[in-house]
């Protein structure tokens, strides 16, 4: 099998990698770079579970060849947390029930990050639109929308109240982190 | 109650949002080989020859397995041991596994599949239940209730004919519920290895490691004690990962023979072939009512298209008729169900297991009854809701019922009274209700042992480890486990390490199916935690010189209720107890109460308690195109008690989502290949692109109400939530369509095409309806008569019925007499 050898930046780290030249970015990430956080549900561009950021834009890594990624920047779920702190989206996804089985979660997180990077204050409809390429079978999406909204930096009041709650990283063992939202009784 | 009832981040959330949850396909082991399955390209054939020589000679191939390597059959139910890991002498659907290649990598294995020569001798294909009912030969299996009938049952509870005679009105309606599939985003995957001690280990995305364990011991002929099954967190299950699967047995055998780790990850197409999804069901409901709407009796007949294997099918058949009586008071009831084999991927349990289909029919029929009687559908249901703490006609013991409160809540929050029959044409609202089990009352194989066990280890670090065989499939079972223990011991959930779904390390729990885990594992966890608390109390009370009953466990402390400053840290309490009793460990277990149903078939339906849901769906239908949209759903769920409301709401909304998929678009459909390509019966679209499921753009706003009326049988009063909330959605959509445009769509999915057809009928002055009318003639067995409790019954069938039942039935003769012919199941 002919091997390809490329240099690229993954999660901020400049690396080189050699792999079978037919491999998709998804396979290179999972099999050659041991970055198993990126998932797959079809490997045909249908489910969106394999989304990663390529130069900041969400792409389906099962449809991108590894060799196309030379000299480019790839961000995966493993690259979201920084300085020992989870990304705000990771905090809100964890607190608000946006990850049930968690299998689609890496794709939703990176796609939502791309959205917030571009539109710091998206509407619910813009969120729906931006995330529409990723399927989730567990949540019914509503808690995912709420988690994205809660992570908006400019803050709705709900997000504000959410952020003022103790975080896992700050208050270790505070009864399981944020209590985000009252269920109507 | 500090932890219980508080919306919380689940214990495994961090792993999920950082991508560190280790799913089966994320396991990579040194020297690991890869497996691929060759699947049948024909729907029904005798296997004449499987020649693997060329594949075996292919470079990089280590092993090729065929049916000869798997002589022992298996199946999830003891009564349906009809599967082989690889086909022995027969293939029964396109996708049935025939051979397996184990090679150095996936690409090599795929190449080698092409080098296996298979010779098939085609047999007649059965594509739908009418075919299977019309032809006894060839039989798809040589067991069952005659011909191609897998199971046929008839249960009578009281004199339903007399009930119809006593009724003021009798309604008879036919409905069809199309099959659909779970579509978990994670494809099934498994890795097997021989551990250094020479024992077998399997990591698999399974919901039922205990049953897989049993199937492996049986088919591989190894002592169960030398097999370890580890259920990796499932990337969605919904019932689709609850059978032992071919690929699991194959990688185990291969790893055993090769002494190297072997992995398989199914393609999406193969996941469609594994299926075990919703049975297509044709049903006929006959219901007698008094003028005030009181039900006098119900006669329900169902025909299930089972696909090619038994799977859970016998249970599925009974489930189509089991829960009607749990929701509404039905004094007399006659249920007849029949499951047939066809040459399609096997159907099985999907969220709601067998009950959504007949729930769909019943709730639409109630809407029709309410209209005829000029009753508001919500008020009507409030009138007929079953009484709590009663025994139903079919001997199911009903616990708490929060259904009336559910109905009142959604009527209020949706502004129902100002919308129902009042919105402009094209907009409408519909209401439906449902109930579901909080765990099956009986295990899958007969035994008297607990259904769930929990073991706790406490040590001087102050840490607690909770072991349980329960399987995390996304629903949050690990979180329920630690929450129950944390609540009793007064510590934080994050102080507890859950170790779950590992047959070597954890006590048996039967698995994540039938909505059983919260109730059964939760009760076992509480028992284990209370026993631990007793040990700690003993030691602390001696140390503080106060009586045990004054001690409070909270805030990671054990202290005096009357003088909270007086106490010890939890960690110190553990040290005191360890010094006093030695190494600390406790266990708890849960066994459901014995069911009152003592008749044959009464094993399906009993549950410690039942959950209830009510939903109102709003639709917008374009009368010219039939295009249908759902902008809003109001749902109330009787949860008993919400242990973690964040997770409960997620289950409710996920159920609404999946219900909308079934209501509007999801279909497991089949087609014939064109004649030049063999005309084989194949899956119409085994891809996620063509199998339509709702996206973020399709999902309506959902308004969730939780009704909390603690049930003493549940842990802290909790009942199930994983399956129930899906059930009312499909009929509520159908009822809303009727409210919007005055046409009845009596089958799912409710597509624009069907709406247009019904509108055309409406315009032409015909019955404004789309749905089935025909019901096939089924050779029903003799009815097993079980007098209901109010007729002095004791839960057993009458003796005459038992003797009739035990008489061997000559199925061919029965058929000859009836002379029923082919009929169409659909449309
Ligand atoms: S794996 Fe499904 S879109 Fe890439
Ligand atoms: S959380 Fe399971 S698929 Fe989205």
């Amino acid at each position: 099998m002919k091997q390809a050898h490329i240099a690229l930046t993954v999660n901020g780290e400049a690396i080189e990698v050699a792999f079978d030249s037919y491999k998709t970015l998804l396979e290179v990430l999972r099999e050659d770079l041991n970055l198993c956080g990126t998932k797959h549900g079809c490997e045909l561009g249908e489910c969106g579970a394999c989304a990663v950021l390529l130069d900041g834009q969400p792409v389906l890594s099962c449809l991108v060849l590894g060799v196309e990624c030379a000299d480019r920047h790839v961000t995966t779920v493993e690259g979201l947390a920084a300085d020992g702190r989870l990304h705000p989206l990771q905090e809100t996804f964890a607190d608000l029930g946006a990850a049930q089985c968690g299998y689609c979660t890496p794709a939703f997180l990176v796609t939502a990050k791309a959205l917030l990077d571009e539109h710091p204050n998206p509407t619910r409809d813009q969120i729906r639109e931006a995330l529409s390429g990723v399927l989730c079978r567990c949540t019914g999406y509503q808690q995912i929308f709420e988690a994205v909204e809660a992570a908006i930096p400019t803050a709705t009041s709900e997000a504000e109240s959410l952020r003022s709650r103790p975080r896992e990283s700050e208050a270790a063992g505070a009864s399981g982190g944020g209590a985000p939202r009252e269920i109507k009784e | 109650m500090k932890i219980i009832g508080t919306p919380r981040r689940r214990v495994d959330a961090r792993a999920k949002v950082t991508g560190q949850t280790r799913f089966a396909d994320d396991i990579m082991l040194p020297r690991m080989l890869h497996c691929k399955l060759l699947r049948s390209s024909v729907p029904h054939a005798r296997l004449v020859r499987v020649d693997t020589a060329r594949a075996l000679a292919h470079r990089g191939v280590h092993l090729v397995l065929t049916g000869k390597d798997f002589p022992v059959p298996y199946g999830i139910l003891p009564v349906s041991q009809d599967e082989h890991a690889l086909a022995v002498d027969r293939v029964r659907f396109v996708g049935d596994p025939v051979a397996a290649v184990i090679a150095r990598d996936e690409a090599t294995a795929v190449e080698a599949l092409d080098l296996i020569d298979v010779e098939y001798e085609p047999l007649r294909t059965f594509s739908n239940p009418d075919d299977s009912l019309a032809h006894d030969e060839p039989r798809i299996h040589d067991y069952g209730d005659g011909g191609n009938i897998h199971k046929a049952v008839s249960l009578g509870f009281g004199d339903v004919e007399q009930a119809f005679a006593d009724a003021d009105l009798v309604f008879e309606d036919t409905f069809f519920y199309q099959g659909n599939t779970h579509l978990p985003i994670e494809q099934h995957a498994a890795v097997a290895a021989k551990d250094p001690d020479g024992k077998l280990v399997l990591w698999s995305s399974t919901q039922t490691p205990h049953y897989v364990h049993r199937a492996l011991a049986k088919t591989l002929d190894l002592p169960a004690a030398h097999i370890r099954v580890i259920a990796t967190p499932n990337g969605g299950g919904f019932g689709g990962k609850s059978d032992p699967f071919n690929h699991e047995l194959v990688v185990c055998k291969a790893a055993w023979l090769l002494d190297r780790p072997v992995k398989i990850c199914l393609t999406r197409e193969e996941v469609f072939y594994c299926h075990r999804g919703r049975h297509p069901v044709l049903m006929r409901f006959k219901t007698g009512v008094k003028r005030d709407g009181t039900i006098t009796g119900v006669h329900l007949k169902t025909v299930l298209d089972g696909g090619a294997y038994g799977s859970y099918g016998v249970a599925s058949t009974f489930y189509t008729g089991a829960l009607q009586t749990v929701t509404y008071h039905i004094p007399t009831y006659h249920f007849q169900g029949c499951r047939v084999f066809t040459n399609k991927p096997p159907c099985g349990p999907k969220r709601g297991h067998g009950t959504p289909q007949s729930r769909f029919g019943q709730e639409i029929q109630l809407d029709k009854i309410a209209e005829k009687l000029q009753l508001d559908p919500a008020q009507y249901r409030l009138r007929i809701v079953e009484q709590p703490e009663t025994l139903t006609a079919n001997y199911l013991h009903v616990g708490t019922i929060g259904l009336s409160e559910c109905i009142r809540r959604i009527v209020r929050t949706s502004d129902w009274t100002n919308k129902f029959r009042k919105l402009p044409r094209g907009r409408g609202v519909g209401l439906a209700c449902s109930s579901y089990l909080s765990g099956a009352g009986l295990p899958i194989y007969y035994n008297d042992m607990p259904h769930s066990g929990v073991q706790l280890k406490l040590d001087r670090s102050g840490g607690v480890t909770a072991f349980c065989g329960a399987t995390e499939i996304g629903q949050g079972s690990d979180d329920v486990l630690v929450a129950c223990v944390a609540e009793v011991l007064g510590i934080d959930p994050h102080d507890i390490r859950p170790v779950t779904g590992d047959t070597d390390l954890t006590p048996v729990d039967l698995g994540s199916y039938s909505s059983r885990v919260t109730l059964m594992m939760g009760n076992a966890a509480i028992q284990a935690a209370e026993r631990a608390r007793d040990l700690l109390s003993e030691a602390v009370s001696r140390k503080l010189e106060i009586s045990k009953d004054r001690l409070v466990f909270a805030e990671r402390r054990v202290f005096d209720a009357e003088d909270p400053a007086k106490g010890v840290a939890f960690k110190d309490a553990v040290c005191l107890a360890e010094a006093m009793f030695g190494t600390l460990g406790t266990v708890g277990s849960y066994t459901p109460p014995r069911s009152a149903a003592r008749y044959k078939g009464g094993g399906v339906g009993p549950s410690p308690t039942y959950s209830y849901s009510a939903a109102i769906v709003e639709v917008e239908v374009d009368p010219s195109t039939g295009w249908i949209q759902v902008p809003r759903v109001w749902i109330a769920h009787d949860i008993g008690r919400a242990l973690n409301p964040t997770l409960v709401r997620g289950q409710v909304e996920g159920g609404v989502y999946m219900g909308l998929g079934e209501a509007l678009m999801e279909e497991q459909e089949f087609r014939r290949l064109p004649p030049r390509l063999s005309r084989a019966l194949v899956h119409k679209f085994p891809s996620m692109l063509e199998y339509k499921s709702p996206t973020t753009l399709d999902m309506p706003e959902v308004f969730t109400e939780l009704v909390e009326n603690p049930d003493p049988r549940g842990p802290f009063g909790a009942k199930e939530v994983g399956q129930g909330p899906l059930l009312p959605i499909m009929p509520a959509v159908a009822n809303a369509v009727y409210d919007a445009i005055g046409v009845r769509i009596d089958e799912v999915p409710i597509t624009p095409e069907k709406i247009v057809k019904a509108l055309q009928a409406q315009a032409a002055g015909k019955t404004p309806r789309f749905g089935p009318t025909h019901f096939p003639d089924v050779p029903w067995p003799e009815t097993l008569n079980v007098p209901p409790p109010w007729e002095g019954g004791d839960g057993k069938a009458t003796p005459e019925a038992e003797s009739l039942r035990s008489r061997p039935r000559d199925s061919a003769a029965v058929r000859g007499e009836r002379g029923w012919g082919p009929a169409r199941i659909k449309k």
Side-chain angles (χ1 to χ4, degrees):
Chain A
M1 192 71 61
K2 202 163 143 25
Q3 291 255 306
H5 182 188
I6 62 168
L8 76 168
T9 304
V10 178
N11 297 330
E13 196 179 330
I15 56 162
E16 291 181 30
V17 58
F19 52 89
D20 292 342
S21 55
Y22 67 81
K23 282 193 175 183
T24 61
L25 174 58
L26 171 70
E27 291 167 318
V28 174
L29 289 170
R30 289 180 54 86
E31 296 166 12
D32 299 287
L33 295 171
N34 283 315
L35 290 168
C36 286
T38 301
K39 302 300 173 199
H40 55 79
C42 66
E43 293 156 86
L44 294 167
E46 296 167 354
C47 68
C50 63
V52 299
L53 302 185
L54 189 58
D55 296 333
Q57 292 300 311
V59 296
L60 300 176
S61 64
C62 71
L63 296 185
V64 176
L65 282 174
V67 291
E68 294 177 74
C69 300
D71 303 323
R72 302 179 74 178
H73 286 74
V74 176
T75 305
T76 68
V77 68
E78 289 93 343
L80 293 183
D83 307 325
R85 291 178 67 96
L86 298 182
H87 187 278
L89 280 163
Q90 290 174 305
E91 296 280 7
T92 56
F93 268 60
D95 283 339
L96 299 183
Q100 277 187 29
C101 78
Y103 199 78
C104 66
T105 308
F108 274 107
L109 284 169
V110 297
T111 312
K113 177 186 182 325
L115 171 71
L116 294 187
D117 287 348
E118 198 159 325
H119 299 283
N121 195 7
T123 62
R124 172 69 65 103
D125 281 344
Q126 285 171 320
I127 295 170
R128 280 178 188 270
E129 183 76 37
L131 301 181
S132 62
V134 188
L135 295 176
C136 172
R137 272 310 254 182
C138 299
T139 59
Y141 304 113
Q142 192 149 306
Q143 289 178 319
I144 294 177
F145 301 151
E146 288 164 4
V148 175
E149 285 164 357
I152 292 173
T154 46
T156 62
S157 58
E158 188 179 59
E160 206 53 87
S161 77
L162 180 82
R163 266 197 308 283
S164 64
R165 286 169 192 276
R167 285 274 166 272
E168 172 208 46
S169 43
E170 296 155 10
S175 195
R181 179 178 197 284
E182 296 297 315
I183 292 284
K184 284 164 286 166
E185 288 269 300
Chain B
M1 296 273 178
K2 183 100 197 331
I3 293 145
I4 297 302
T6 308
R8 264 185 319 105
R9 173 185 286 207
R10 55 192 286 168
V11 281
D12 48 0
R14 188 179 185 282
K16 291 174 195 290
V17 299
T18 56
Q20 291 183 80
T21 302
R22 219 154 62 124
F23 297 95
D25 193 39
D26 299 336
I27 295 170
M28 318 269 181
L29 299 176
R31 302 177 69 236
M32 188 167 78
L33 300 170
H34 296 264
C35 175
K36 280 280 164 197
L37 298 178
L38 178 71
R39 291 177 181 266
S40 173
S41 58
V42 299
H44 195 193
R46 214 170 62 74
L47 210 50
V48 181
R49 187 175 60 92
V50 183
D51 186 343
T52 60
R54 289 195 303 142
L56 201 51
H58 190 62
R59 202 183 137 117
V61 171
H62 289 251
L63 180 68
V64 182
L65 295 169
T66 66
K68 287 200 193 68
D69 300 296
F70 295 94
V72 182
Y74 67 96
I76 184 71
L77 299 186
V79 294
S80 310
Q81 300 286 299
D82 60 359
E83 300 188 53
H84 286 266
L86 297 168
V88 173
D89 52 9
R90 185 85 81 91
V91 290
R92 295 181 172 89
F93 68 97
V94 168
D96 212 356
V98 172
V101 172
I102 293 87
R104 66 178 168 211
D105 52 33
E106 269 196 322
T108 307
V110 171
E111 283 163 19
L113 291 183
D114 278 346
L115 303 174
I116 300 174
D117 299 306
V118 187
E119 192 180 322
Y120 299 106
E121 182 185 297
L123 295 167
R124 181 197 172 93
T125 302
F126 296 91
S127 62
N128 64 58
D130 288 309
D131 271 0
S132 309
L133 285 168
H135 302 278
D136 284 354
E137 297 289 339
R139 294 184 76 184
I140 295 174
H141 288 283
D142 57 8
Y143 78 103
D145 283 347
N148 282 307
I149 293 178
H150 176 206
K151 186 74 189 170
V153 300
S154 184
L155 298 172
F157 307 93
D159 189 346
V160 81
E161 290 310 320
Q162 185 57 46
F164 292 145
D166 294 344
D168 294 319
L169 285 164
V170 176
F171 291 77
E172 198 163 1
D173 293 283
T174 312
F175 303 93
F176 177 63
Y177 200 101
Q178 174 63 301
N180 52 56
T181 200
H182 320 81
L183 205 78
I185 306 293
E186 179 205 26
Q187 301 134 305
H188 305 52
V191 181
K194 211 186 256 188
D195 77 10
D197 300 330
K199 295 178 187 163
L200 183 67
V201 193
L202 173 72
W203 292 263
S204 183
S205 49
T206 176
Q207 300 176 231
T208 52
H210 175 62
Y211 296 135
V212 172
H213 190 203
R214 287 170 53 86
L216 285 171
K218 181 183 183 215
T219 56
L220 303 180
D221 197 20
L222 290 172
H226 294 182
I227 301 172
R228 176 180 185 185
V229 179
I230 301 171
T232 48
N234 290 197
F238 318 113
K241 296 170 180 167
S242 345
D243 287 61
F245 280 102
N246 313 65
H247 62 269
E248 294 173 319
L249 311 186
V250 166
V251 290
C252 284
K253 179 92 181 184
W256 189 255
L257 293 175
L258 295 167
D259 201 357
R260 285 180 69 167
V262 179
K263 176 193 270 191
I264 190 164
C265 181
L266 302 190
T267 63
R268 178 53 58 181
E269 182 178 352
E270 290 180 289
V271 175
F272 279 97
Y273 298 147
C274 286
H275 193 45
R276 321 284 160 156
R278 187 82 72 223
H279 285 76
V281 174
L282 184 68
M283 66 204 113
R284 180 162 286 173
F285 265 97
K286 187 171 177 186
T287 301
V289 291
K290 291 289 201 188
R291 252 197 218 287
D292 66 356
T294 313
I295 296 172
T296 62
V298 171
H299 180 189
L300 166 63
K301 293 194 284 188
T302 62
V303 171
L304 295 79
D305 181 346
Y309 289 97
S311 183
Y312 284 80
V314 171
S316 317
T317 307
F318 283 109
Y319 272 132
T320 61
L323 300 190
Q324 273 60 43
T325 54
V326 166
T327 320
Y328 305 112
H329 183 64
I330 298 176
T332 62
Y333 182 47
H334 185 191
F335 164 65
Q336 291 174 301
C338 172
R339 183 182 194 259
V340 299
F341 290 121
T342 53
N343 295 116
K344 298 190 277 197
C347 298
K350 183 186 172 196
R351 210 172 193 174
H353 193 187
T355 72
Q357 296 97 326
S358 37
R359 176 62 52 197
F360 177 73
Q362 187 177 28
E363 294 292 324
I364 296 176
Q365 191 178 54
L366 286 176
D367 207 59
K368 296 179 183 183
I369 294 172
E371 182 177 45
K372 184 87 177 176
L373 299 177
Q374 297 182 321
L375 296 169
D376 175 272
Q379 297 307 320
Y380 176 37
R381 283 175 175 80
L382 286 172
R383 196 176 280 182
I384 58 172
V385 168
E386 182 59 284
Q387 289 300 307
E389 307 296 343
T390 47
L391 210 49
T392 65
N394 53 345
Y395 289 87
L396 302 182
H397 188 276
V398 179
T400 57
I401 299 185
L403 183 53
S404 299
E405 178 59 15
C406 288
I407 296 172
R408 287 190 205 103
R409 291 262 194 112
I410 54 168
V411 162
R412 201 166 56 231
T413 53
S414 69
D415 196 18
W416 166 261
T417 328
N418 289 318
K419 288 181 176 160
F420 180 67
R421 297 288 189 266
K422 295 195 179 105
L423 293 171
R425 183 168 164 85
R427 286 182 59 202
V429 287
L431 178 145
C433 303
S434 67
S435 51
Y436 200 67
L437 324 165
S438 293
L442 281 90
I444 274 172
Y445 62 100
Y446 182 76
N447 72 82
D448 284 327
M449 292 175 279
H451 290 215
S452 189
V454 170
Q455 197 171 358
L456 297 182
K457 186 207 104 187
L458 296 80
D459 72 25
R460 53 193 85 172
S461 69
V464 176
T465 311
F467 300 88
C468 179
T471 310
E472 178 57 65
I473 64 169
Q475 84 281 46
S477 58
D478 282 4
D479 194 68
V480 170
L481 175 63
V482 300
C484 290
V485 175
E487 182 72 36
V488 173
L489 295 180
I491 55 180
D492 189 272
H494 285 272
D495 299 342
I496 302 169
R497 172 170 302 283
V499 175
T500 54
D502 182 328
T503 61
D504 258 15
L505 302 184
T506 60
V508 168
D509 174 279
L510 296 179
S512 286
Y513 66 94
S514 84
S515 275
R516 50 175 298 290
V517 178
T518 291
L519 188 135
M520 300 198 189
M521 176 194 70
N523 280 323
I526 290 172
Q527 188 180 61
E530 285 177 346
R531 287 171 175 170
R533 191 179 58 189
D534 283 348
L535 296 175
L536 269 52
S537 295
E538 189 78 45
V540 174
S541 88
R542 186 172 311 174
K543 166 88 178 172
L544 298 182
E545 294 176 334
I546 53 174
S547 76
K548 283 197 287 181
D549 51 15
R550 267 172 55 180
L551 291 177
V552 175
F553 285 67
E555 311 280 349
R556 294 195 179 110
R557 287 181 71 233
V558 183
F559 55 89
D560 184 354
E562 288 165 25
D563 177 10
K566 188 171 170 188
V568 300
F570 179 79
K571 175 174 172 299
D572 297 329
V574 177
C575 292
L576 291 169
E578 198 174 332
M580 187 173 205
F581 298 106
T583 300
L584 295 176
T586 59
V587 293
S589 56
Y590 178 81
T591 310
R594 189 170 148 73
S595 164
R598 316 274 284 282
Y599 55 91
K600 202 166 185 298
V604 177
S607 175
T609 186
Y610 300 83
S611 79
Y612 292 83
S613 316
I616 289 172
V617 170
E618 187 176 324
V619 299
E620 290 169 8
V621 186
D622 181 332
S624 55
T625 60
W627 189 252
I628 173 171
Q629 277 178 301
V630 175
R632 273 168 287 275
V633 174
W634 295 265
I635 182 160
H637 182 68
D638 166 26
I639 177 76
R641 174 152 191 115
L643 300 182
N644 182 346
T646 305
L647 268 58
V648 170
R649 193 161 68 86
Q651 287 301 308
V652 173
E653 288 166 8
V656 170
Y657 151 88
M658 199 163 271
L660 287 171
E662 299 196 13
L664 299 172
M665 60 190 89
E666 296 190 31
E667 284 191 86
Q668 171 100 337
E669 253 292 45
F670 296 83
R671 67 187 168 104
R672 293 275 189 174
L673 289 178
R676 69 186 159 82
L677 291 176
S678 82
R679 270 188 49 76
L681 182 73
V682 296
H683 195 291
K684 193 169 174 188
F685 28 55
S687 90
M688 292 176 113
L689 190 63
E690 293 304 324
Y691 181 93
K692 303 295 182 204
S693 64
T695 70
T696 54
L697 298 174
D698 303 304
M699 192 60 195
E701 241 181 310
V702 180
F703 302 92
T704 303
E705 296 277 322
L706 301 181
V707 170
E708 294 192 85
N709 171 21
D711 188 305
R713 284 152 286 247
F716 303 107
K719 306 201 278 191
E720 78 88 38
V721 65
Q723 308 193 58
L726 174 146
L727 304 170
I729 300 303
M730 297 74 70
V733 170
N735 292 340
V737 167
Y738 182 72
D739 187 46
I741 51 170
V743 302
R744 289 283 176 193
I745 310 296
D746 288 339
E747 66 170 62
V748 292
I750 297 168
T751 58
E753 185 200 8
K754 293 173 189 174
I755 291 174
V756 165
K757 282 198 176 134
L759 284 167
Q760 284 164 351
Q762 186 183 48
K766 298 191 199 129
T767 313
R769 167 180 189 268
F770 185 92
T773 48
H774 152 86
F775 195 89
D777 210 351
V778 176
W780 300 113
E782 237 17 271
T783 299
L784 201 59
N785 284 305
V786 184
W790 38 88
E791 289 176 22
D794 58 359
K796 293 190 191 135
T798 53
E800 314 89 78
E802 287 291 5
S803 69
L804 274 171
R805 179 82 193 175
S806 58
R807 204 186 299 155
R809 176 171 151 260
D810 179 346
S811 62
V814 172
R815 269 136 215 240
E817 282 158 29
R818 306 229 176 167
W820 35 274
R824 295 275 306 133
I825 188 164
K826 261 195 73 181
K827 294 162 210 173

